[in-house]
């Protein structure tokens, strides 16, 4: 992970301790990124195996997961 300068330090410091006090939306984004990487790796493997049925199922499961994450952490950038 890259150090984010002052903003990185400020999120970790309290009056008595230094801890990983990251905002919840940062943690959710990290989980989403991990899931996205796993989905893309799975899709690549299934494509190389030419398993069309499994690719379709993965696509359906991916859409369901994205809908779930929209409920948990809506994308307000749009």
């Amino acid at each position: 992970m890259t150090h984010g300068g002052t903003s990185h330090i400020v999120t970790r410091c309290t009056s008595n301790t230094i801890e990983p006090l990251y905002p919840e939306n940062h943690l959710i984004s990290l989980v989403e990124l991990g899931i996205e990487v796993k989905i893309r790796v799975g899709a690549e493997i299934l494509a190389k195996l030419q398993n069309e049925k499994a690719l379709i199922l993965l696509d359906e499961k991916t859409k369901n997961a994205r809908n779930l994450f929209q409920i948990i952490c809506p994308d307000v950038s749009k």
Side-chain angles (χ1 to χ4, degrees):
M1 182 170 252
T2 303
H3 192 284
T6 304
S7 63
H8 184 82
I9 294 169
V10 170
T11 62
R12 296 176 51 125
C13 296
T14 65
S15 59
N16 299 321
T17 62
I18 298 174
E19 297 182 19
L21 301 172
Y22 298 105
E24 184 177 338
N25 64 332
H26 288 189
L27 299 174
I28 290 171
S29 294
L30 185 60
V31 170
E32 287 178 324
L33 178 62
I35 292 170
E36 184 73 26
V37 168
K38 289 172 181 69
I39 290 169
R40 289 176 184 261
V41 168
E44 285 293 321
I45 291 170
L46 293 173
K48 290 199 182 300
L49 293 171
Q50 299 177 351
N51 190 335
E52 193 68 31
K53 186 176 179 181
L55 274 168
I56 292 169
L57 182 59
L58 178 62
D59 184 56
E60 291 170 8
K61 298 288 184 181
T62 300
K63 287 176 185 170
N64 290 338
R66 286 193 175 118
N67 288 337
L68 178 61
F69 272 103
Q70 276 296 328
I71 292 168
I72 295 170
C73 186
D75 181 5
V76 294
S77 65
K78 297 176 184 176

